[in-house]
Amino acid sequence: MHDPRLTAARGDIAAKYLEGKVEAAHFVEGEVFEIVDAVAPLRRSPGSDAELMTQALRGERVTIYDRNAEGWAWGQLDSDGYVGWLPDAALAKPGAAPTHRITAIRTFAFGGPSIKLPPVETLVMGSAVTVTREDGAFAVTGEGWHLPKSHLAVIGHRETDFVAVAERFVGTPYLWGGKSSLGIDCSGLVQISLNAAGIGCPRDSDMQQVSLGQPLDPAKASNLQRGDLLFWNGHVAIARDAETVVHANAHHMATVIENTLAAIARIKAAAGELVAIKRI
């Protein structure tokens, strides 16, 4: 059975590459666009009140298969394959290939080479930009934005410790479907942190549980190592060491560092047992 989160197919329309694999009235090639908003919502259905499934960051590519008259576009993200509805206004024809990614959890884009100028945009970790030149302490993009060079790295740069990336999000508000320092959920924290280290990662915790790492005995949660992933039904946390985890969670409505055994007991009472531990 095809996972609708990752399958660009509906009863009325589907991606051409799925022809012969799924049933649909029409199959279309789709058209590639670029995300031009800093953070764009990808929703379950076409409406601003629909469930936020995930978010797309500036510079990401998305293949669009359908549009409606209300300003929504249905497509599939190139980065992790997620399918849903995006605001049409967040899309543009692709420009020059990105050269750099934002490595700070968020940064300001200025209209010129001075931090005293009013920011023209706020960009978040993982966003992709095209740098055309340097101007002192700033990298200048094709739009003329001036970004602090210290907040950028070339495409392909890999952080050495994905857990340290996750720790930088401590205090970030919890947001279902979020994956930025403006709001993040448990699996979004895992995805953005692993991606920063150059490790491919699916979007949702159930997908992560299936595809990431090697399984350990969930009964041996006292023998954790830094970077181990702990899974519950609908939740994931990252081990910092043998005693603590970092995770975005709705109990605290934030990304927090918590004693591991205390977190296991608290979550057990509310949502059930720890079901898996995976070692990256």
Side-chain angles (χ1 to χ4, degrees):
M1 186 173 180
H2 298 285
D3 188 335
R5 297 170 296 178
L6 301 175
T7 308
R10 309 186 321 233
D12 59 332
I13 194 169
K16 185 72 172 178
Y17 73 86
L18 292 172
E19 193 166 10
K21 301 176 182 178
V22 301
E23 292 186 6
H26 300 284
F27 292 88
V28 297
E29 289 288 353
E31 186 176 359
V32 176
F33 287 85
E34 179 179 344
I35 303 295
V36 291
D37 281 4
V39 180
L42 185 143
R43 299 192 181 278
R44 184 182 294 276
S45 56
S48 58
D49 58 347
E51 179 184 352
L52 179 66
M53 304 294 289
T54 188
Q55 293 174 320
L57 308 182
R58 186 180 178 90
E60 283 195 65
R61 288 341 193 224
V62 57
T63 304
I64 297 300
Y65 298 102
D66 188 27
R67 289 172 136 132
N68 69 18
E70 288 72 49
W72 291 88
W74 181 75
Q76 185 166 33
L77 298 178
D78 288 4
S79 58
D80 59 16
Y82 222 99
V83 174
W85 292 87
L86 291 154
D88 233 337
L91 306 174
K93 293 293 182 67
T99 60
H100 290 70
R101 289 196 186 277
I102 307 299
T103 54
I105 62 169
R106 58 187 171 274
T107 191
F108 293 122
F110 299 96
S114 172
I115 60 172
K116 296 181 180 179
L117 292 170
V120 295
E121 186 59 280
T122 303
L123 300 178
V124 299
M125 179 184 288
S127 302
V129 296
T130 304
V131 172
T132 57
R133 63 186 177 89
E134 296 184 358
D135 188 353
F138 295 91
V140 184
T141 70
E143 300 91 346
W145 294 352
H146 287 61
L147 296 162
K149 288 194 295 187
S150 59
H151 289 178
L152 297 171
V154 295
I155 297 288
H157 168 80
R158 297 185 176 190
E159 298 285 346
T160 57
D161 181 1
F162 84 90
V163 184
V165 176
E167 290 169 336
R168 291 162 61 189
F169 284 84
V170 168
T172 298
Y174 180 84
L175 176 66
W176 179 275
K179 65 173 193 178
S180 84
S181 62
L182 303 175
I184 202 162
D185 66 12
C186 64
S187 55
L189 180 67
V190 171
Q191 186 185 51
I192 202 78
S193 301
L194 285 173
N195 286 173
I199 301 171
C201 179
R203 177 60 179 89
D204 292 341
S205 62
D206 62 322
M207 304 174 187
Q208 294 168 355
Q209 180 182 333
V210 169
S211 64
L212 296 175
Q214 299 299 315
L216 303 177
D217 185 350
K220 297 182 178 179
S222 58
N223 296 323
L224 295 173
Q225 295 181 9
R226 186 173 178 85
D228 289 346
L229 301 178
L230 291 76
F231 291 93
W232 295 260
N233 289 325
H235 186 60
V236 59
I238 305 167
R240 298 176 64 245
D241 49 38
E243 297 180 351
T244 60
V245 294
V246 56
H247 59 150
N249 66 90
H251 176 78
H252 296 96
M253 285 305 295
T255 297
V256 300
I257 292 170
E258 190 173 5
N259 175 271
T260 303
L261 296 182
I264 290 172
R266 176 178 60 75
I267 296 170
K268 178 181 178 180
E273 298 277 0
L274 180 70
V275 296
I277 301 174
K278 304 294 285 289
R279 180 157 291 167
I280 300 298

